[in-house]
Amino acid sequence: MRRKLIAGNWKMNGLLADGVALAAGVAELAKPRSHKCDILICPPYTLLIETVRAVTGSSVAVGGQDCHAKVSGAHTGDVSAQMLTDLGCRYVILGHSERRADHGESDALIKAKAQSALAANLTPIVCVGETESQRDSGKTLEIVAGQLKGSLPDGGTAEKVVIAYEPVWAIGTGRTPTLDEVQEVHAMIRRESGLGQGLRILYGGSMKPSNAKELLALPDVDGGLIGGASLKVEDFWAIATACP
Ligand code: 13P
Protein backbone atom coordinates (compact mmCIF):
# COMPACT_ATOMS: atom_id res chain seq x y z
CA MET A 1 0.00 0.00 0.00
CA ARG A 2 1.51 3.33 -1.06
CA ARG A 3 1.14 6.21 1.39
CA LYS A 4 0.08 9.32 -0.48
CA LEU A 5 2.25 12.43 -0.59
CA ILE A 6 0.74 15.91 -0.71
CA ALA A 7 3.41 18.40 -1.69
CA GLY A 8 3.11 22.19 -1.86
CA ASN A 9 5.27 23.94 -4.44
CA TRP A 10 5.25 27.58 -3.41
CA LYS A 11 7.27 28.56 -6.50
CA MET A 12 8.59 32.16 -6.28
CA ASN A 13 6.09 33.28 -3.67
CA GLY A 14 6.34 34.39 -0.08
CA LEU A 15 8.26 36.93 1.96
CA LEU A 16 9.59 35.99 5.35
CA ALA A 17 6.61 36.74 7.59
CA ASP A 18 3.99 35.26 5.24
CA GLY A 19 6.08 32.18 4.51
CA VAL A 20 6.71 31.41 8.15
CA ALA A 21 3.03 31.91 8.99
CA LEU A 22 2.00 29.56 6.18
CA ALA A 23 4.47 26.87 7.21
CA ALA A 24 3.50 27.19 10.87
CA GLY A 25 -0.18 27.00 9.93
CA VAL A 26 0.33 23.74 8.04
CA ALA A 27 2.46 22.30 10.85
CA GLU A 28 -0.22 23.17 13.40
CA LEU A 29 -2.94 21.37 11.43
CA ALA A 30 -0.66 18.37 10.93
CA LYS A 31 0.12 18.05 14.62
CA PRO A 32 -2.62 15.61 15.63
CA ARG A 33 -1.28 13.29 12.89
CA SER A 34 -4.81 12.26 11.99
CA HIS A 35 -4.17 12.85 8.26
CA LYS A 36 -3.63 9.83 6.04
CA CYS A 37 -0.82 11.19 3.86
CA ASP A 38 2.74 12.48 4.01
CA ILE A 39 2.94 16.26 3.83
CA LEU A 40 5.69 18.27 2.20
CA ILE A 41 6.22 21.97 1.62
CA CYS A 42 8.73 23.37 -0.88
CA PRO A 43 9.29 27.09 -0.32
CA PRO A 44 11.79 29.29 -2.16
CA TYR A 45 15.43 29.05 -0.97
CA THR A 46 15.13 32.26 1.03
CA LEU A 47 12.49 30.70 3.29
CA LEU A 48 13.97 27.23 3.68
CA ILE A 49 15.70 27.61 6.98
CA GLU A 50 12.82 29.41 8.67
CA THR A 51 10.38 26.87 7.22
CA VAL A 52 12.42 24.01 8.65
CA ARG A 53 12.31 25.78 12.03
CA ALA A 54 8.57 26.41 11.75
CA VAL A 55 7.72 22.75 11.11
CA THR A 56 10.18 21.20 13.57
CA GLY A 57 8.40 18.74 15.82
CA SER A 58 5.57 18.18 13.31
CA SER A 59 5.28 15.50 10.65
CA VAL A 60 5.67 18.06 7.84
CA ALA A 61 8.71 17.62 5.59
CA VAL A 62 10.50 20.42 3.73
CA GLY A 63 12.02 20.33 0.26
CA GLY A 64 13.80 22.53 -2.26
CA GLN A 65 12.48 23.48 -5.70
CA ASP A 66 15.73 22.76 -7.55
CA CYS A 67 19.40 21.99 -6.96
CA HIS A 68 22.65 21.99 -8.91
CA ALA A 69 24.10 18.74 -10.22
CA LYS A 70 27.50 19.35 -8.59
CA VAL A 71 28.32 19.15 -4.90
CA SER A 72 30.12 22.52 -4.72
CA GLY A 73 32.22 24.88 -6.79
CA ALA A 74 32.15 27.95 -8.99
CA HIS A 75 28.43 28.10 -9.78
CA THR A 76 27.24 31.56 -8.82
CA GLY A 77 23.66 31.65 -7.65
CA ASP A 78 23.23 27.91 -7.43
CA VAL A 79 22.58 25.63 -4.48
CA SER A 80 23.69 22.01 -4.17
CA ALA A 81 21.68 19.01 -3.01
CA GLN A 82 24.02 18.65 -0.06
CA MET A 83 23.25 22.23 1.01
CA LEU A 84 19.54 21.36 1.05
CA THR A 85 20.14 18.23 3.14
CA ASP A 86 22.31 20.27 5.46
CA LEU A 87 19.36 22.60 6.18
CA GLY A 88 17.03 19.72 6.98
CA CYS A 89 15.36 19.23 3.60
CA ARG A 90 14.28 15.73 2.64
CA TYR A 91 13.04 16.24 -0.91
CA VAL A 92 13.83 18.33 -3.97
CA ILE A 93 11.60 19.08 -6.96
CA LEU A 94 13.54 18.62 -10.21
CA GLY A 95 12.72 19.29 -13.85
CA HIS A 96 9.59 21.31 -13.19
CA SER A 97 8.22 22.53 -16.53
CA GLU A 98 8.85 26.12 -15.43
CA ARG A 99 12.56 25.30 -15.05
CA ARG A 100 12.58 23.35 -18.30
CA ALA A 101 11.09 26.45 -20.00
CA ASP A 102 12.72 29.35 -18.09
CA HIS A 103 16.18 27.80 -17.76
CA GLY A 104 16.30 25.46 -20.75
CA GLU A 105 16.75 22.39 -18.54
CA SER A 106 17.23 19.18 -20.52
CA ASP A 107 16.36 15.64 -19.49
CA ALA A 108 20.09 14.91 -19.17
CA LEU A 109 20.61 17.83 -16.79
CA ILE A 110 17.60 16.80 -14.70
CA LYS A 111 18.96 13.27 -14.51
CA ALA A 112 22.33 14.61 -13.30
CA LYS A 113 20.55 16.69 -10.67
CA ALA A 114 18.51 13.68 -9.58
CA GLN A 115 21.70 11.66 -9.19
CA SER A 116 23.17 14.41 -7.00
CA ALA A 117 19.99 14.47 -4.93
CA LEU A 118 20.19 10.73 -4.29
CA ALA A 119 23.86 11.03 -3.38
CA ALA A 120 22.92 13.72 -0.84
CA ASN A 121 20.18 11.54 0.64
CA LEU A 122 17.36 13.68 -0.79
CA THR A 123 14.33 12.24 -2.53
CA PRO A 124 14.07 13.78 -6.01
CA ILE A 125 10.57 14.57 -7.28
CA VAL A 126 11.15 14.31 -11.02
CA CYS A 127 8.57 16.25 -13.04
CA VAL A 128 7.30 15.31 -16.48
CA GLY A 129 4.39 16.52 -18.61
CA GLU A 130 3.28 17.44 -22.10
CA THR A 131 2.40 20.82 -23.57
CA GLU A 132 -1.03 21.54 -24.96
CA SER A 133 0.06 21.16 -28.58
CA GLN A 134 1.72 17.83 -27.78
CA ARG A 135 -1.52 16.61 -26.23
CA ASP A 136 -3.59 17.92 -29.14
CA SER A 137 -1.40 16.04 -31.58
CA GLY A 138 -1.80 12.78 -29.67
CA LYS A 139 1.80 12.65 -28.47
CA THR A 140 1.28 12.76 -24.69
CA LEU A 141 2.35 9.20 -23.87
CA GLU A 142 5.35 9.33 -26.18
CA ILE A 143 6.56 12.70 -24.82
CA VAL A 144 6.13 11.76 -21.17
CA ALA A 145 7.79 8.37 -21.67
CA GLY A 146 10.74 10.10 -23.36
CA GLN A 147 11.14 12.62 -20.53
CA LEU A 148 10.98 9.79 -18.03
CA LYS A 149 13.61 7.72 -19.81
CA GLY A 150 15.95 10.71 -20.05
CA SER A 151 15.55 12.19 -16.59
CA LEU A 152 15.22 9.33 -14.11
CA PRO A 153 18.41 8.77 -12.11
CA ASP A 154 20.38 5.55 -12.40
CA GLY A 155 20.04 3.38 -9.34
CA GLY A 156 16.76 5.00 -8.26
CA THR A 157 14.27 2.85 -6.38
CA ALA A 158 10.58 3.20 -5.63
CA GLU A 159 11.44 4.23 -2.07
CA LYS A 160 13.94 6.91 -3.06
CA VAL A 161 12.34 8.53 -6.12
CA VAL A 162 9.00 10.27 -6.66
CA ILE A 163 7.62 11.20 -10.08
CA ALA A 164 5.20 14.07 -10.69
CA TYR A 165 3.03 14.19 -13.80
CA GLU A 166 2.17 17.80 -14.53
CA PRO A 167 0.58 18.58 -17.90
CA VAL A 168 2.03 22.01 -18.74
CA TRP A 169 -1.34 23.29 -19.97
CA ALA A 170 -3.01 22.42 -16.65
CA ILE A 171 -0.59 24.43 -14.49
CA GLY A 172 -2.21 27.55 -13.10
CA THR A 173 -5.02 27.46 -15.66
CA GLY A 174 -7.86 25.85 -13.72
CA ARG A 175 -8.03 23.14 -16.40
CA THR A 176 -7.21 19.48 -15.81
CA PRO A 177 -7.17 16.36 -17.98
CA THR A 178 -10.11 14.00 -17.53
CA LEU A 179 -9.77 11.38 -14.81
CA ASP A 180 -9.29 8.69 -17.48
CA GLU A 181 -6.52 10.71 -19.10
CA VAL A 182 -4.72 11.20 -15.78
CA GLN A 183 -4.97 7.51 -14.93
CA GLU A 184 -3.74 6.51 -18.39
CA VAL A 185 -0.57 8.60 -18.07
CA HIS A 186 0.09 7.50 -14.48
CA ALA A 187 -0.28 3.81 -15.35
CA MET A 188 2.13 4.29 -18.26
CA ILE A 189 4.64 6.06 -15.98
CA ARG A 190 4.53 3.20 -13.50
CA ARG A 191 5.07 0.67 -16.28
CA GLU A 192 7.82 2.57 -18.13
CA SER A 193 9.71 3.62 -15.01
CA GLY A 194 10.36 -0.01 -14.15
CA LEU A 195 10.17 1.03 -10.49
CA GLY A 196 7.11 -1.05 -9.71
CA GLN A 197 4.15 -0.93 -7.39
CA GLY A 198 5.90 0.94 -4.59
CA LEU A 199 6.63 4.03 -6.72
CA ARG A 200 4.72 7.19 -5.80
CA ILE A 201 3.42 9.18 -8.78
CA LEU A 202 1.97 12.61 -7.99
CA TYR A 203 -0.47 14.55 -10.16
CA GLY A 204 0.06 18.31 -10.50
CA GLY A 205 -1.80 21.02 -12.42
CA SER A 206 -4.77 22.94 -10.99
CA MET A 207 -5.34 20.48 -8.16
CA LYS A 208 -7.64 22.20 -5.67
CA PRO A 209 -10.09 21.32 -2.89
CA SER A 210 -12.95 20.86 -5.39
CA ASN A 211 -11.21 18.24 -7.57
CA ALA A 212 -8.66 16.67 -5.21
CA LYS A 213 -10.87 13.87 -3.96
CA GLU A 214 -11.60 12.36 -7.36
CA LEU A 215 -8.01 12.76 -8.60
CA LEU A 216 -6.56 11.22 -5.43
CA ALA A 217 -8.94 8.28 -5.70
CA LEU A 218 -7.45 7.14 -9.03
CA PRO A 219 -5.54 3.87 -8.69
CA ASP A 220 -2.16 5.20 -9.85
CA VAL A 221 -2.35 8.70 -8.36
CA ASP A 222 -0.29 8.66 -5.18
CA GLY A 223 -0.56 12.28 -4.22
CA GLY A 224 -0.44 15.80 -5.54
CA LEU A 225 2.07 18.51 -6.37
CA ILE A 226 0.15 21.66 -5.64
CA GLY A 227 1.02 25.19 -6.72
CA GLY A 228 -1.53 27.96 -6.20
CA ALA A 229 -3.68 26.09 -3.69
CA SER A 230 -0.64 25.39 -1.49
CA LEU A 231 -0.36 29.11 -0.68
CA LYS A 232 -3.50 29.06 1.47
CA VAL A 233 -3.42 26.91 4.59
CA GLU A 234 -7.11 25.97 4.35
CA ASP A 235 -6.96 24.96 0.69
CA PHE A 236 -3.76 22.96 1.11
CA TRP A 237 -5.19 21.23 4.15
CA ALA A 238 -8.48 20.51 2.37
CA ILE A 239 -6.48 18.71 -0.34
CA ALA A 240 -4.41 16.79 2.23
CA THR A 241 -7.55 15.60 3.98
CA ALA A 242 -9.15 14.57 0.68
CA CYS A 243 -6.74 11.62 0.55
CA PRO A 244 -8.71 8.38 0.77
P1 13P B 1 -0.97 24.89 -9.88
O1 13P B 1 -1.46 24.01 -8.78
O2 13P B 1 -0.93 26.35 -9.50
O3 13P B 1 -1.67 24.63 -11.17
O4 13P B 1 0.59 24.51 -10.11
C1 13P B 1 0.93 23.18 -10.25
C2 13P B 1 2.40 23.08 -10.22
O5 13P B 1 3.08 23.52 -11.12
C3 13P B 1 3.01 22.45 -9.04
O6 13P B 1 4.34 22.17 -9.24
Side-chain angles (χ1 to χ4, degrees):
M1 191 54 196
R2 300 180 293 268
R3 189 169 162 87
K4 293 199 194 296
L5 172 64
I6 298 297
N9 174 10
W10 293 2
K11 309 191 180 187
M12 195 174 72
N13 291 295
L15 300 180
L16 195 51
D18 296 342
V20 169
L22 180 54
V26 173
E28 187 60 30
L29 288 168
K31 226 176 227 162
R33 293 179 192 250
S34 53
H35 49 285
K36 300 190 194 113
C37 58
D38 291 337
I39 299 195
L40 167 67
I41 48 188
C42 301
Y45 290 136
T46 50
L47 296 178
L48 277 175
I49 193 148
E50 288 300 336
T51 300
V52 168
R53 285 193 183 122
V55 305
T56 295
S58 79
S59 57
V60 178
V62 179
Q65 297 177 11
D66 179 45
C67 69
H68 196 273
K70 298 262 168 61
V71 175
S72 62
H75 302 289
T76 303
D78 281 312
V79 166
S80 73
Q82 203 179 46
M83 289 168 175
L84 296 177
T85 312
D86 189 41
L87 282 189
C89 292
R90 290 173 36 209
Y91 293 83
V92 62
I93 299 169
L94 294 174
H96 192 284
S97 60
E98 287 150 16
R99 293 209 58 89
R100 290 179 187 259
D102 295 354
H103 299 272
E105 293 198 2
S106 65
D107 290 336
L109 178 65
I110 294 156
K111 175 174 175 165
K113 291 181 175 198
Q115 305 271 156
S116 77
L118 288 178
N121 213 14
L122 280 180
T123 300
I125 301 176
V126 177
C127 302
V128 292
E130 82 286 0
T131 62
E132 183 152 36
S133 65
Q134 288 165 339
R135 176 161 284 273
D136 290 346
S137 52
K139 294 205 180 101
T140 297
L141 295 181
E142 180 193 328
I143 292 290
V144 173
Q147 290 173 335
L148 207 57
K149 194 162 184 284
S151 44
L152 279 184
D154 296 330
T157 62
E159 291 71 39
K160 290 193 175 156
V161 173
V162 172
I163 296 172
Y165 168 55
E166 298 203 310
V168 178
W169 54 273
I171 295 175
T173 59
R175 297 160 58 208
T176 59
T178 66
L179 296 176
D180 284 348
E181 286 166 345
V182 172
Q183 172 56 25
E184 179 186 36
V185 178
H186 279 233
M188 181 280 289
I189 290 174
R190 186 174 308 288
R191 207 170 47 243
E192 292 295 317
S193 71
L195 294 173
Q197 288 302 315
L199 174 71
R200 293 199 283 189
I201 307 168
L202 314 184
Y203 169 78
S206 298
M207 191 185 268
K208 49 196 174 205
S210 58
N211 63 15
K213 196 168 181 191
E214 52 189 17
L215 285 162
L216 292 167
L218 293 170
D220 285 292
V221 173
D222 309 305
L225 185 54
I226 296 116
S230 72
L231 297 172
K232 282 198 195 132
V233 178
E234 312 76 50
D235 287 356
F236 187 57
W237 196 251
I239 295 172
T241 52
C243 285

